[in-house]
Amino acid sequence: NENLEIVDKKVYNDAAKDFGSKPLQIIANLKSEDFVDKAGNKYLFKVGEVLGPQQEMYQEKARKLPVENEFERAYDRKIIVDVPEGYQFKNLDNINIDESYAQDGVELFMFKSTYTIENNQLIIFIKEYYNKNIVPVPIYEEYRTVINSAANFNKVTVVLEKK
């Protein structure tokens, strides 16, 4: 978001020697009013937009060739939102998304988002991974479902109102 202020940030495991052996970690405190809209006496928090744009694979034509990704990938995100004193979030269950695909007992693709409320903070956990770089046509729809669940998270808005 162009109107996002990075209050502070730390980056871990970003050295060339860490690539492929340690996860890249970025821990940042951010500030922006672009994720909140006012609706009467309530606020709409566009929590899904915090992830930034996500790939979407909505199509009507049948897939004819396999999907080829350069590498397997995994994302483990934790978003912490301070809840203003005297307010509470509603409709938080919209955050919960759980899509995955396993083959022969091995989970290949997964997007899962959950949340907790602790000490006046909304804490969102998002795990996403793709453990196969060439996706054959017979499992393309399952792959597409997981990819689109991340895009669907992008559209999640929760309501913040006075207690």
Side-chain angles (χ1 to χ4, degrees):
N1 183 302
E2 61 190 37
N3 296 319
L4 185 73
E5 176 188 345
I6 299 173
V7 178
D8 62 69
K9 94 177 162 188
K10 295 178 183 164
V11 179
Y12 300 95
N13 305 327
D14 61 337
K17 67 179 175 53
D18 297 327
F19 182 76
S21 63
K22 294 181 181 176
L24 174 66
Q25 290 185 332
I26 302 169
I27 299 174
N29 287 313
L30 312 169
K31 193 176 187 180
S32 176
E33 294 181 11
D34 283 4
F35 300 104
V36 179
D37 289 325
K38 188 159 175 50
N41 59 352
K42 298 176 183 177
Y43 294 90
L44 306 177
F45 177 47
K46 299 175 274 190
V47 67
E49 290 184 15
V50 172
L51 281 187
Q54 298 294 300
Q55 180 180 5
E56 295 182 6
M57 297 180 77
Y58 302 107
Q59 68 185 49
E60 295 183 23
K61 295 180 182 178
R63 184 81 187 185
K64 295 184 183 192
L65 296 172
V67 173
E68 293 188 29
N69 295 303
E70 288 186 64
F71 47 84
E72 296 176 8
R73 59 200 187 280
Y75 308 97
D76 192 358
R77 302 171 179 112
K78 182 177 178 183
I79 301 168
I80 301 173
V81 179
D82 292 323
V83 181
E85 192 65 42
Y87 282 83
Q88 63 186 2
F89 279 107
K90 296 290 186 180
N91 71 315
L92 288 173
D93 285 340
N94 291 346
I95 291 171
N96 295 327
I97 297 174
D98 190 357
E99 291 288 348
S100 64
Y101 173 71
Q103 191 175 61
D104 299 324
V106 177
E107 201 162 51
L108 298 178
F109 320 123
M110 191 263 289
F111 181 92
K112 183 173 186 172
S113 56
T114 60
Y115 73 92
T116 63
I117 300 282
E118 296 176 21
N119 302 322
N120 239 28
Q121 291 182 319
L122 167 63
I123 304 170
I124 301 169
F125 304 94
I126 303 170
K127 287 193 177 287
E128 178 180 13
Y129 57 80
Y130 304 90
N131 291 335
K132 190 169 185 65
N133 19 343
I134 298 178
V135 180
V137 173
I139 64 169
Y140 170 74
E141 283 303 316
E142 290 80 0
Y143 173 75
R144 189 170 79 96
T145 297
V146 174
I147 287 279
N148 286 341
S149 65
N152 291 341
F153 181 86
N154 220 206
K155 299 170 183 123
V156 171
T157 296
V158 293
V159 176
L160 183 65
E161 64 183 20
K162 285 194 176 210
K163 290 183 181 179

